[in-house]
Amino acid sequence: QVQLVESGGGLVQAGGSLRLSCAASGRTFSSYAMGWFRQAPGKEREFVAAISRSTEYADSVKGRFTISRDNAKNTVSLQMNSLKPEDTAVYYCAVGNSYRIGILPRAYDYWGQGTLVTVSS
């Protein structure tokens, strides 16, 4: 059974940093894209970043967030710097259905339960 477990969310002041981690189990994901999405209250789930043979970022987080993965440990991380109140959301990690990076939720087959990030002004 595939399982993704996120950790690292919390409350931080604007300008601060957080590091999210996602541990995947149940199969090997090294051949698949892995990504982070977020969903703020009342809004749709949106793409944040993804990593495969390359990386891709949403324009809103470029230069502030960095995605990385450790295939040996089946983990993916998201380093978030210079956080803004508009980054407040539940953050989800996901495993793609291929090595290709997708920016839409339908490109991902497995999802974690989410971790809440709150950025205060």
Side-chain angles (χ1 to χ4, degrees):
Q1 183 179 354
V2 174
Q3 194 171 21
L4 303 177
V5 179
E6 301 99 336
S7 61
L11 174 63
V12 65
Q13 287 189 331
S17 298
L18 280 175
R19 185 176 180 85
L20 305 183
S21 295
C22 174
S25 60
R27 55 182 276 194
T28 301
F29 297 104
S30 58
S31 299
Y32 296 86
M34 297 186 77
W36 288 93
F37 285 72
R38 66 187 182 187
Q39 188 165 18
K43 294 188 176 181
E44 293 187 351
R45 192 168 297 191
E46 65 173 4
F47 173 79
V48 175
I51 184 168
S52 182
R53 299 171 183 176
S54 60
T55 58
E56 188 160 341
Y57 297 91
D59 287 343
S60 59
V61 307
K62 271 181 189 173
R64 299 189 298 122
F65 291 10
T66 302
I67 188 171
S68 60
R69 68 190 292 171
D70 184 334
N71 288 332
K73 296 182 179 179
N74 246 9
T75 59
V76 61
S77 298
L78 186 69
Q79 177 66 41
M80 306 185 296
N81 299 329
S82 302
L83 282 161
K84 304 175 182 180
E86 51 263 44
D87 294 318
T88 295
V90 176
Y91 283 70
Y92 299 89
C93 74
V95 177
N97 51 36
S98 78
Y99 70 91
R100 294 184 181 88
I101 288 177
I103 63 171
L104 296 176
R106 65 170 179 257
Y108 296 81
D109 284 341
Y110 302 104
W111 295 83
Q113 82 289 349
T115 185
L116 177 63
V117 171
T118 303
V119 184
S120 63
S121 56

